[in-house]
Amino acid sequence: MSKSIVCDEDKKYCRICGSENNLNLHHIIYGKNRKNADKYGLTIWLCKKCHQGTYGVHGKYGHELDLKLKQEAEKCFLDYYNKEIEDFIDIFKINYL
């Protein structure tokens, strides 16, 4: 797994609420693209509530938060790797911007 390009890995904390408890590594782009998320550092730490709670990224009402994180991750990818949107689409087969 590559170092996260989305957050500071020197300290583990929930990227949403700042909690340092019950943390899970979240692959911002998951499913078929989980390995690519690892490869390109598109991961963050989330507490259990922000990860799997009702309003968390995998929760019933978490779609807006999930999309926001995917957009942020795509922007980080483009900036960090000096790539274009087409490069992101070639790798992840989707565009969030």
Side-chain angles (χ1 to χ4, degrees):
M1 183 169 78
S2 182
K3 180 179 175 164
S4 177
I5 65 168
V6 183
C7 65
D8 177 13
E9 280 196 338
D10 292 336
K11 185 174 180 190
K12 287 169 113 177
Y13 63 93
C14 177
R15 186 74 161 67
I16 304 303
C17 73
S19 174
E20 295 179 12
N21 300 314
N22 298 316
L23 297 176
N24 302 130
L25 185 65
H26 173 62
H27 296 79
I28 299 172
I29 301 171
Y30 42 90
K32 293 183 274 182
N33 283 306
R34 184 181 173 116
K35 287 184 181 181
N36 281 331
D38 273 342
K39 179 178 178 180
Y40 292 100
L42 303 181
T43 57
I44 56 173
W45 291 102
L46 294 177
C47 70
K48 187 171 183 172
K49 181 179 175 185
C50 293
H51 195 214
Q52 298 170 325
T54 304
Y55 293 92
V57 294
H58 295 301
K60 183 176 182 178
Y61 301 111
H63 178 72
E64 187 175 319
L65 175 59
D66 186 43
L67 180 59
K68 178 182 170 188
L69 291 174
K70 283 174 169 50
Q71 290 170 336
E72 180 182 357
E74 184 172 346
K75 288 176 188 174
C76 288
F77 172 89
L78 299 176
D79 290 342
Y80 186 85
Y81 293 107
N82 195 28
K83 299 286 188 181
E84 302 294 326
I85 290 175
E86 292 77 17
D87 299 312
F88 186 88
I89 294 169
D90 284 345
I91 294 167
F92 294 99
K93 310 300 183 220
I94 196 164
N95 176 31
Y96 297 105
L97 300 178

XYZ file of all heavy atoms in Angstrom:
806
model
N 0.845 -1.177 0.000
C 0.000 0.000 0.000
C 0.891 1.242 0.000
O 1.857 1.338 0.735
C -0.905 -0.006 1.229
C -1.847 1.161 1.243
S -3.131 1.039 2.487
C -2.245 1.489 3.928
N 0.524 2.202 -0.810
C 1.244 3.454 -0.921
C 0.818 4.416 0.187
O -0.290 4.345 0.698
C 0.945 4.066 -2.290
O 1.641 5.253 -2.463
N 1.690 5.325 0.544
C 1.358 6.351 1.534
C 0.225 7.224 1.001
O 0.174 7.544 -0.183
C 2.597 7.202 1.806
C 2.351 8.295 2.808
C 3.587 9.093 3.076
C 3.168 10.221 3.985
N 4.226 10.883 4.642
N -0.666 7.601 1.884
C -1.802 8.431 1.476
C -1.341 9.776 0.930
O -0.479 10.424 1.522
C -2.742 8.662 2.661
O -3.795 9.530 2.270
N -1.907 10.182 -0.177
C -1.633 11.513 -0.722
C -2.760 12.483 -0.351
O -2.701 13.650 -0.664
C -1.445 11.481 -2.260
C -2.738 11.061 -2.966
C -0.283 10.569 -2.638
C -2.723 11.285 -4.466
N -3.787 11.966 0.330
C -4.972 12.767 0.657
C -4.867 13.377 2.053
O -5.464 14.403 2.332
C -6.253 11.917 0.530
C -7.493 12.737 0.799
C -6.333 11.299 -0.862
N -4.117 12.749 2.950
C -4.020 13.272 4.310
C -2.632 13.043 4.874
O -1.839 12.284 4.328
C -5.064 12.629 5.209
S -4.835 10.869 5.456
N -2.363 13.686 5.982
C -1.104 13.544 6.688
C -1.118 12.231 7.453
O -1.927 12.040 8.350
C -0.941 14.721 7.650
C 0.308 14.633 8.486
O 1.181 13.815 8.171
O 0.407 15.409 9.453
N -0.242 11.318 7.097
C -0.220 10.011 7.748
C 0.607 9.983 9.020
O 0.673 8.966 9.688
C 0.309 8.948 6.788
C -0.704 8.468 5.812
C -0.291 7.172 5.147
O 0.912 6.852 5.122
O -1.185 6.477 4.659
N 1.259 11.081 9.362
C 2.079 11.075 10.569
C 1.227 10.939 11.823
O 1.716 10.517 12.860
C 2.923 12.351 10.646
C 3.987 12.377 9.555
O 4.379 11.297 9.066
O 4.415 13.480 9.181
N -0.027 11.306 11.730
C -0.936 11.179 12.866
C -2.227 10.545 12.385
O -2.808 10.970 11.389
C -1.223 12.555 13.470
C -2.045 12.487 14.721
C -2.201 13.844 15.369
C -3.039 13.684 16.614
N -3.443 14.942 17.179
N -2.676 9.513 13.093
C -3.919 8.843 12.716
C -5.094 9.535 13.400
O -5.130 9.634 14.625
C -3.876 7.384 13.136
C -2.966 6.518 12.300
C -2.781 5.177 12.957
C -3.377 4.072 12.177
N -3.147 2.750 12.760
N -6.027 10.021 12.598
C -7.250 10.635 13.106
C -8.313 10.570 12.024
O -8.008 10.457 10.839
C -7.005 12.087 13.532
C -6.586 12.991 12.386
C -7.537 13.714 11.668
C -5.260 13.093 12.012
C -7.162 14.524 10.603
C -4.879 13.901 10.959
C -5.832 14.616 10.263
O -5.458 15.403 9.201
N -9.563 10.641 12.436
C -10.660 10.627 11.480
C -10.614 11.901 10.657
O -10.615 13.001 11.195
C -12.000 10.499 12.208
S -13.418 10.568 11.086
N -10.574 11.742 9.369
C -10.490 12.882 8.431
C -11.753 13.735 8.461
O -11.730 14.886 8.064
C -10.253 12.325 7.032
C -9.992 13.326 5.969
C -8.575 13.892 6.125
N -8.087 14.505 4.937
C -8.574 15.614 4.399
N -9.588 16.210 4.922
N -8.041 16.103 3.305
N -12.869 13.200 8.972
C -14.129 13.935 9.003
C -14.325 14.652 10.336
O -14.535 15.855 10.374
C -15.328 12.989 8.739
C -15.153 12.240 7.417
C -16.648 13.769 8.764
C -14.970 13.094 6.194
N -14.244 13.912 11.440
C -14.570 14.506 12.751
C -13.362 14.739 13.641
O -13.474 15.405 14.667
C -15.601 13.645 13.480
S -14.927 12.085 14.114
N -12.199 14.203 13.280
C -10.989 14.411 14.060
C -10.756 13.407 15.177
O -9.734 13.456 15.853
N -11.675 12.490 15.393
C -11.533 11.492 16.452
C -10.287 10.636 16.229
O -9.900 10.365 15.090
C -12.770 10.590 16.492
O -12.580 9.538 17.413
N -9.690 10.195 17.329
C -8.535 9.306 17.255
C -8.900 7.894 17.704
O -8.030 7.041 17.850
C -7.397 9.867 18.109
C -6.875 11.196 17.579
C -5.767 11.783 18.426
O -5.228 11.075 19.310
O -5.424 12.952 18.212
N -10.188 7.638 17.905
C -10.667 6.345 18.412
C -11.396 5.545 17.343
O -12.055 6.112 16.477
C -11.604 6.562 19.600
C -10.913 7.292 20.729
O -9.797 6.959 21.100
N -11.571 8.298 21.271
N -11.315 4.216 17.452
C -12.035 3.290 16.556
C -11.828 3.623 15.078
O -12.787 3.753 14.322
C -13.534 3.292 16.883
C -13.806 2.820 18.283
O -13.232 1.839 18.729
N -14.676 3.524 18.981
N -10.585 3.749 14.674
C -10.272 4.146 13.300
C -10.223 2.960 12.351
O -9.789 1.868 12.712
C -8.931 4.881 13.263
C -8.873 6.183 14.049
C -7.460 6.746 14.015
C -9.866 7.198 13.526
N -10.705 3.204 11.134
C -10.650 2.241 10.036
C -9.991 2.931 8.851
O -10.257 4.102 8.591
C -12.036 1.798 9.592
C -12.873 1.187 10.681
O -14.014 1.585 10.847
N -12.349 0.245 11.430
N -9.177 2.185 8.114
C -8.608 2.720 6.881
C -9.693 2.664 5.809
O -10.251 1.603 5.549
C -7.385 1.920 6.453
C -6.650 2.464 5.235
C -6.047 3.834 5.542
C -5.566 1.500 4.796
N -9.990 3.797 5.217
C -11.022 3.875 4.182
C -10.371 4.073 2.824
O -9.582 4.996 2.635
C -11.969 5.046 4.471
C -12.957 5.302 3.375
N -13.898 4.376 2.988
C -13.135 6.386 2.573
C -14.632 4.886 2.009
N -14.175 6.097 1.735
N -10.675 3.184 1.899
C -10.246 3.331 0.505
C -11.280 4.229 -0.148
O -12.425 3.815 -0.335
C -10.184 1.968 -0.178
C -9.161 1.082 0.417
N -9.367 0.388 1.593
C -7.907 0.793 0.003
C -8.278 -0.295 1.870
N -7.380 -0.080 0.935
N -10.896 5.443 -0.464
C -11.856 6.431 -0.968
C -12.523 5.924 -2.238
O -13.713 6.124 -2.448
C -11.168 7.788 -1.194
C -10.611 8.299 0.140
C -12.142 8.790 -1.798
C -9.740 9.521 0.020
N -11.754 5.283 -3.066
C -12.312 4.657 -4.260
C -12.195 3.160 -4.015
O -11.101 2.625 -3.892
C -11.565 5.110 -5.527
C -11.673 6.624 -5.635
C -12.134 4.427 -6.758
C -10.833 7.246 -6.691
N -13.335 2.501 -3.900
C -13.346 1.106 -3.469
C -13.972 0.218 -4.525
O -14.075 0.607 -5.681
C -14.058 0.969 -2.112
C -15.326 1.786 -1.973
C -16.547 1.258 -2.334
C -15.282 3.082 -1.472
C -17.715 2.005 -2.205
C -16.438 3.836 -1.342
C -17.654 3.292 -1.696
O -18.798 4.035 -1.574
N -14.359 -0.968 -4.146
C -14.899 -1.925 -5.106
C -13.778 -2.434 -6.001
O -12.693 -2.763 -5.530
N -14.027 -2.464 -7.295
C -13.039 -2.953 -8.258
C -11.760 -2.120 -8.250
O -10.718 -2.587 -8.692
C -13.626 -2.963 -9.672
C -14.742 -3.957 -9.872
C -15.223 -3.966 -11.304
C -16.263 -2.879 -11.470
N -16.843 -2.805 -12.802
N -11.837 -0.883 -7.753
C -10.683 0.018 -7.778
C -9.928 0.095 -6.457
O -9.058 0.940 -6.289
C -11.140 1.420 -8.189
C -11.376 1.507 -9.668
O -10.502 1.169 -10.456
N -12.561 1.936 -10.046
N -10.241 -0.779 -5.524
C -9.587 -0.742 -4.211
C -8.060 -0.888 -4.334
O -7.313 -0.173 -3.677
C -10.153 -1.848 -3.325
C -9.608 -1.842 -1.931
C -10.214 -2.992 -1.135
N -9.575 -3.095 0.142
C -10.192 -2.912 1.295
N -11.470 -2.625 1.322
N -9.532 -3.034 2.421
N -7.603 -1.791 -5.192
C -6.155 -1.969 -5.364
C -5.506 -0.718 -5.940
O -4.398 -0.350 -5.553
C -5.864 -3.186 -6.239
C -6.111 -4.496 -5.540
C -5.736 -5.675 -6.396
C -6.040 -6.953 -5.629
N -5.675 -8.146 -6.385
N -6.186 -0.056 -6.866
C -5.643 1.186 -7.417
C -5.656 2.297 -6.370
O -4.760 3.133 -6.355
C -6.414 1.612 -8.664
C -5.988 0.828 -9.883
O -4.848 0.388 -9.982
N -6.904 0.634 -10.817
N -6.664 2.318 -5.513
C -6.688 3.299 -4.425
C -5.472 3.103 -3.526
O -4.824 4.076 -3.124
C -7.979 3.183 -3.621
N -5.150 1.848 -3.230
C -3.936 1.545 -2.455
C -2.684 2.002 -3.201
O -1.816 2.665 -2.644
C -3.818 0.041 -2.199
C -4.555 -0.408 -0.954
O -4.868 0.432 -0.099
O -4.805 -1.618 -0.843
N -2.610 1.636 -4.446
C -1.419 1.919 -5.258
C -1.132 3.418 -5.343
O 0.023 3.842 -5.255
C -1.611 1.341 -6.662
C -0.463 1.587 -7.603
C -0.723 0.947 -8.955
C 0.408 1.239 -9.924
N 0.164 0.621 -11.236
N -2.174 4.220 -5.481
C -2.004 5.656 -5.675
C -2.220 6.485 -4.409
O -2.211 7.710 -4.455
C -2.923 6.146 -6.802
C -2.496 5.617 -8.144
C -3.129 4.531 -8.719
C -1.419 6.186 -8.822
C -2.725 4.024 -9.947
C -1.004 5.688 -10.045
C -1.658 4.606 -10.602
O -1.241 4.122 -11.814
N -2.386 5.830 -3.270
C -2.475 6.551 -2.001
C -3.792 7.262 -1.765
O -3.823 8.297 -1.093
N -4.883 6.734 -2.284
C -6.192 7.358 -2.114
C -6.931 6.715 -0.941
O -7.984 6.098 -1.096
C -6.998 7.271 -3.411
C -6.316 7.902 -4.629
C -7.201 7.799 -5.851
C -5.921 9.340 -4.368
N -6.344 6.866 0.239
C -6.895 6.307 1.465
C -6.870 7.374 2.560
O -6.046 8.299 2.515
C -6.082 5.092 1.941
O -4.717 5.484 2.131
C -6.165 3.947 0.946
N -7.774 7.226 3.519
C -7.808 8.113 4.681
C -8.247 7.291 5.893
O -8.788 6.199 5.744
C -8.774 9.308 4.501
C -10.188 8.817 4.179
C -8.265 10.281 3.456
C -11.236 9.911 4.142
N -8.045 7.850 7.070
C -8.548 7.234 8.292
C -9.912 7.821 8.619
O -10.115 9.026 8.506
C -7.583 7.478 9.452
C -6.307 6.750 9.289
C -5.104 7.264 8.886
C -6.094 5.353 9.486
N -4.161 6.264 8.813
C -4.744 5.084 9.190
C -6.911 4.294 9.879
C -4.193 3.809 9.278
C -6.363 3.022 9.970
C -5.021 2.796 9.676
N -10.846 6.950 8.969
C -12.179 7.374 9.409
C -12.529 6.610 10.680
O -12.200 5.423 10.810
C -13.238 7.063 8.346
C -13.158 7.817 7.026
C -14.242 7.325 6.075
C -13.279 9.311 7.238
N -13.219 7.287 11.602
C -13.722 6.577 12.776
C -14.897 5.710 12.327
O -15.434 5.886 11.222
C -14.149 7.554 13.872
S -15.640 8.490 13.496
N -15.287 4.792 13.167
C -16.361 3.855 12.795
C -17.645 4.595 12.425
O -18.323 4.245 11.455
C -16.622 2.872 13.934
C -17.591 1.796 13.567
C -17.682 0.725 14.617
C -18.632 -0.357 14.122
N -18.622 -1.515 15.002
N -17.987 5.651 13.165
C -19.222 6.405 12.895
C -19.176 7.079 11.512
O -20.135 7.010 10.750
C -19.431 7.447 13.986
C -20.679 8.264 13.821
C -20.827 9.273 14.956
C -22.024 10.167 14.724
N -22.122 11.210 15.739
N -18.053 7.718 11.204
C -17.931 8.407 9.909
C -17.714 7.438 8.754
O -17.924 7.785 7.600
C -16.801 9.427 9.969
S -17.123 10.808 11.091
N -17.307 6.227 9.076
C -17.072 5.216 8.051
C -18.337 4.417 7.752
O -18.760 4.316 6.603
C -15.946 4.286 8.507
C -15.380 3.437 7.425
N -14.931 2.169 7.650
C -15.163 3.670 6.105
C -14.459 1.656 6.519
N -14.589 2.541 5.573
N -18.976 3.891 8.816
C -20.099 2.979 8.608
C -21.391 3.408 9.279
O -22.396 2.711 9.170
C -19.708 1.585 9.115
C -18.542 1.025 8.347
C -17.981 -0.237 8.967
O -17.959 -0.384 10.180
N -17.531 -1.140 8.122
N -21.369 4.548 9.947
C -22.584 5.034 10.599
C -23.620 5.485 9.581
O -23.354 5.557 8.371
N -24.794 5.829 10.050
C -25.906 6.229 9.178
C -25.518 7.333 8.206
O -25.910 7.320 7.039
C -27.106 6.677 10.027
O -27.451 5.606 10.917
C -28.310 7.018 9.161
N -24.732 8.318 8.683
C -24.302 9.427 7.829
C -22.857 9.269 7.362
O -22.298 10.163 6.734
C -24.484 10.757 8.561
C -25.935 11.071 8.795
C -26.576 10.692 9.978
C -26.691 11.709 7.823
C -27.919 10.956 10.187
C -28.040 11.973 8.026
C -28.643 11.597 9.203
O -29.973 11.863 9.397
N -22.248 8.129 7.659
C -20.885 7.845 7.225
C -20.835 7.511 5.748
O -21.864 7.308 5.095
N -19.644 7.417 5.207
C -19.486 7.217 3.763
C -20.157 5.949 3.245
O -20.584 5.911 2.094
C -18.007 7.249 3.328
C -17.415 8.608 3.522
C -17.190 6.205 4.042
N -20.271 4.919 4.080
C -20.940 3.688 3.662
C -22.344 3.583 4.259
O -22.992 2.540 4.147
C -20.128 2.454 4.078
C -18.804 2.348 3.391
N -18.670 2.268 2.021
C -17.544 2.306 3.893
C -17.384 2.180 1.711
N -16.680 2.205 2.821
N -22.810 4.653 4.879
C -24.117 4.638 5.534
C -25.256 5.004 4.606
O -25.064 5.469 3.476
N -26.457 4.843 5.114
C -27.682 5.103 4.355
C -27.736 6.524 3.798
O -28.198 6.745 2.683
C -28.886 4.847 5.257
C -30.213 5.018 4.584
C -31.356 4.645 5.507
C -32.697 4.777 4.802
N -33.804 4.375 5.678
N -27.255 7.503 4.574
C -27.306 8.904 4.152
C -25.915 9.485 3.888
O -25.723 10.693 3.984
C -28.024 9.744 5.203
C -29.432 9.278 5.461
C -29.788 8.686 6.665
C -30.413 9.393 4.477
C -31.073 8.240 6.907
C -31.709 8.949 4.704
C -32.025 8.374 5.918
O -33.298 7.927 6.145
N -24.982 8.640 3.523
C -23.609 9.089 3.350
C -23.167 9.368 1.934
O -21.998 9.662 1.693
N -24.082 9.327 0.981
C -23.693 9.492 -0.426
C -22.993 10.830 -0.689
O -21.978 10.879 -1.389
C -24.899 9.341 -1.350
C -24.560 9.560 -2.793
N -23.825 8.650 -3.528
C -24.810 10.602 -3.621
C -23.648 9.128 -4.753
N -24.238 10.300 -4.836
N -23.514 11.913 -0.141
C -22.930 13.236 -0.385
C -21.492 13.306 0.162
O -20.593 13.817 -0.507
C -23.793 14.319 0.261
C -23.358 15.731 -0.070
C -24.308 16.770 0.493
O -25.531 16.568 0.440
O -23.794 17.788 0.984
N -21.284 12.780 1.358
C -19.945 12.748 1.942
C -19.015 11.869 1.109
O -17.867 12.242 0.833
C -20.013 12.236 3.383
C -18.683 12.031 4.097
C -17.893 13.332 4.169
C -18.930 11.465 5.487
N -19.496 10.718 0.695
C -18.708 9.805 -0.128
C -18.268 10.488 -1.422
O -17.097 10.426 -1.805
C -19.533 8.551 -0.423
C -18.754 7.473 -1.149
O -17.584 7.228 -0.778
O -19.322 6.861 -2.067
N -19.186 11.170 -2.088
C -18.864 11.867 -3.332
C -17.858 12.993 -3.092
O -16.915 13.170 -3.872
C -20.136 12.414 -3.989
C -19.938 13.170 -5.298
C -19.269 12.289 -6.350
C -21.274 13.689 -5.812
N -18.032 13.731 -2.014
C -17.108 14.818 -1.682
C -15.684 14.279 -1.506
O -14.726 14.863 -2.008
C -17.570 15.521 -0.408
C -16.668 16.628 0.047
C -17.185 17.233 1.346
C -16.156 18.174 1.922
N -16.511 18.634 3.247
N -15.543 13.157 -0.811
C -14.224 12.559 -0.610
C -13.637 12.046 -1.921
O -12.436 12.179 -2.170
C -14.301 11.420 0.406
C -14.582 11.834 1.849
C -14.772 10.609 2.721
C -13.476 12.726 2.382
N -14.465 11.485 -2.782
C -13.995 11.011 -4.084
C -13.506 12.184 -4.946
O -12.483 12.085 -5.630
C -15.103 10.247 -4.801
C -15.325 8.836 -4.267
C -16.526 8.194 -4.923
C -16.667 6.726 -4.665
N -16.574 6.276 -3.305
N -14.218 13.302 -4.904
C -13.800 14.478 -5.659
C -12.473 15.025 -5.126
O -11.580 15.369 -5.901
C -14.890 15.553 -5.604
C -16.118 15.172 -6.385
C -17.295 16.098 -6.144
O -17.386 16.765 -5.108
N -18.220 16.125 -7.091
N -12.350 15.074 -3.810
C -11.104 15.530 -3.201
C -9.954 14.594 -3.575
O -8.858 15.048 -3.913
C -11.253 15.591 -1.682
C -10.003 16.058 -0.981
C -10.132 16.074 0.528
O -11.214 15.775 1.069
O -9.119 16.372 1.179
N -10.205 13.300 -3.543
C -9.172 12.325 -3.891
C -8.740 12.480 -5.350
O -7.546 12.399 -5.661
C -9.675 10.907 -3.632
N -9.693 12.689 -6.237
C -9.340 12.864 -7.649
C -8.483 14.113 -7.833
O -7.480 14.093 -8.552
C -10.594 12.932 -8.522
C -10.261 13.018 -9.996
C -11.457 12.886 -10.923
O -12.538 12.467 -10.466
O -11.303 13.192 -12.120
N -8.845 15.203 -7.169
C -8.040 16.436 -7.265
C -6.635 16.199 -6.729
O -5.654 16.653 -7.330
C -8.715 17.563 -6.492
C -9.962 18.096 -7.161
C -10.644 19.142 -6.285
C -11.986 19.525 -6.856
N -12.726 20.440 -5.950
N -6.517 15.482 -5.613
C -5.198 15.163 -5.048
C -4.385 14.324 -6.022
O -3.191 14.565 -6.211
C -5.347 14.428 -3.717
S -5.911 15.465 -2.363
N -5.033 13.342 -6.645
C -4.366 12.491 -7.631
C -3.821 13.343 -8.781
O -2.661 13.201 -9.174
C -5.352 11.449 -8.165
C -4.832 10.646 -9.321
C -4.119 9.477 -9.113
C -5.058 11.054 -10.633
C -3.637 8.733 -10.185
C -4.588 10.316 -11.702
C -3.870 9.157 -11.479
N -4.654 14.224 -9.327
C -4.248 15.050 -10.462
C -3.076 15.947 -10.096
O -2.122 16.077 -10.865
C -5.428 15.892 -10.958
C -6.650 15.118 -11.468
C -7.771 16.075 -11.836
C -6.302 14.214 -12.626
N -3.141 16.559 -8.912
C -2.074 17.458 -8.477
C -0.793 16.704 -8.130
O 0.287 17.064 -8.589
C -2.518 18.278 -7.256
C -3.584 19.303 -7.594
O -3.747 19.636 -8.786
O -4.264 19.767 -6.660
N -0.918 15.675 -7.321
C 0.246 14.950 -6.819
C 1.017 14.270 -7.947
O 2.244 14.307 -7.977
C -0.198 13.920 -5.780
C 0.941 13.227 -5.097
C 1.551 13.797 -3.981
C 1.412 11.998 -5.554
C 2.608 13.162 -3.343
C 2.465 11.356 -4.918
C 3.060 11.943 -3.821
O 4.105 11.308 -3.194
N 0.301 13.638 -8.860
C 0.950 12.903 -9.943
C 1.081 13.724 -11.223
O 1.558 13.213 -12.231
C 0.187 11.602 -10.232
C 0.276 10.623 -9.084
C -0.823 10.397 -8.264
C 1.449 9.938 -8.807
C -0.748 9.510 -7.199
C 1.535 9.052 -7.752
C 0.438 8.841 -6.952
O 0.523 7.971 -5.894
N 0.651 14.987 -11.182
C 0.715 15.875 -12.346
C 0.062 15.225 -13.569
O 0.651 15.119 -14.637
C 2.159 16.271 -12.647
C 2.240 17.444 -13.596
O 1.332 18.280 -13.643
N 3.310 17.514 -14.364
N -1.172 14.775 -13.374
C -1.924 14.061 -14.410
C -3.130 14.873 -14.851
O -3.494 15.878 -14.241
C -2.407 12.706 -13.877
C -1.316 11.763 -13.461
C -0.617 11.169 -14.650
C 0.350 10.081 -14.245
N 1.038 9.515 -15.377
N -3.771 14.394 -15.893
C -4.996 14.991 -16.426
C -6.183 14.105 -16.057
O -6.013 12.931 -15.722
C -4.907 15.114 -17.951
C -3.734 15.937 -18.439
C -3.837 17.405 -18.056
O -4.963 17.938 -18.005
O -2.781 18.022 -17.799
N -7.388 14.653 -16.171
C -8.605 13.894 -15.863
C -8.666 12.610 -16.679
O -9.069 11.562 -16.182
C -9.862 14.762 -16.080
C -9.923 15.844 -15.001
C -11.126 13.918 -16.077
C -11.049 16.848 -15.169
N -8.217 12.666 -17.924
C -8.237 11.478 -18.779
C -7.379 10.354 -18.200
O -7.711 9.173 -18.331
C -7.764 11.830 -20.200
C -8.703 12.725 -20.965
C -8.643 14.207 -20.546
O -7.654 14.622 -19.891
O -9.599 14.931 -20.837
N -6.270 10.724 -17.544
C -5.408 9.718 -16.907
C -6.140 9.052 -15.746
O -6.054 7.832 -15.569
C -4.113 10.361 -16.392
C -3.293 10.984 -17.509
O -3.089 10.320 -18.544
O -2.863 12.138 -17.343
N -6.857 9.850 -14.967
C -7.643 9.303 -13.857
C -8.696 8.334 -14.393
O -8.866 7.239 -13.869
C -8.304 10.440 -13.079
C -9.011 9.993 -11.833
C -8.328 9.888 -10.635
C -10.356 9.679 -11.853
C -8.978 9.469 -9.483
C -11.018 9.255 -10.712
C -10.316 9.150 -9.514
N -9.365 8.735 -15.457
C -10.398 7.887 -16.061
C -9.790 6.591 -16.599
O -10.364 5.518 -16.433
C -11.155 8.644 -17.171
C -11.953 9.800 -16.556
C -12.063 7.708 -17.954
C -12.530 10.776 -17.574
N -8.614 6.673 -17.216
C -7.946 5.461 -17.720
C -7.689 4.464 -16.601
O -7.844 3.257 -16.787
C -6.611 5.813 -18.391
C -6.779 6.414 -19.766
O -7.887 6.312 -20.346
O -5.799 7.010 -20.263
N -7.307 4.958 -15.446
C -6.957 4.081 -14.328
C -8.208 3.617 -13.578
O -8.379 2.428 -13.304
C -6.005 4.793 -13.361
C -4.677 5.042 -14.065
C -5.813 3.983 -12.065
C -3.755 6.011 -13.341
N -9.106 4.555 -13.236
C -10.241 4.240 -12.364
C -11.559 4.024 -13.105
O -12.551 3.630 -12.505
C -10.410 5.335 -11.311
C -9.253 5.380 -10.344
C -8.239 6.304 -10.492
C -9.197 4.496 -9.284
C -7.178 6.345 -9.596
C -8.142 4.510 -8.391
C -7.132 5.449 -8.545
N -11.566 4.293 -14.402
C -12.755 4.076 -15.240
C -13.951 4.916 -14.819
O -15.097 4.552 -15.049
C -13.168 2.595 -15.270
C -12.051 1.640 -15.581
C -11.438 1.897 -16.921
C -10.362 0.873 -17.238
N -9.203 1.430 -17.898
N -13.687 6.068 -14.187
C -14.746 6.972 -13.730
C -14.147 8.347 -13.487
O -12.937 8.486 -13.334
C -15.409 6.432 -12.441
C -16.722 7.128 -12.188
C -14.462 6.485 -11.259
C -17.617 6.423 -11.194
N -14.997 9.364 -13.497
C -14.585 10.739 -13.201
C -15.582 11.306 -12.195
O -16.780 11.191 -12.364
C -14.592 11.569 -14.491
C -14.276 13.013 -14.246
O -13.537 13.359 -13.327
N -14.839 13.875 -15.072
N -15.060 11.910 -11.130
C -15.917 12.475 -10.086
C -16.009 13.990 -10.139
O -16.752 14.584 -9.373
C -15.414 12.052 -8.704
C -15.468 10.564 -8.509
C -14.311 9.800 -8.551
C -16.678 9.918 -8.297
C -14.361 8.424 -8.382
C -16.740 8.536 -8.132
C -15.573 7.816 -8.167
O -15.619 6.456 -8.005
N -15.238 14.618 -11.018
C -15.240 16.093 -11.078
C -16.224 16.639 -12.081
O -16.623 16.017 -13.005
C -13.829 16.594 -11.407
C -12.758 16.192 -10.404
C -11.404 16.702 -10.841
C -13.090 16.722 -9.016
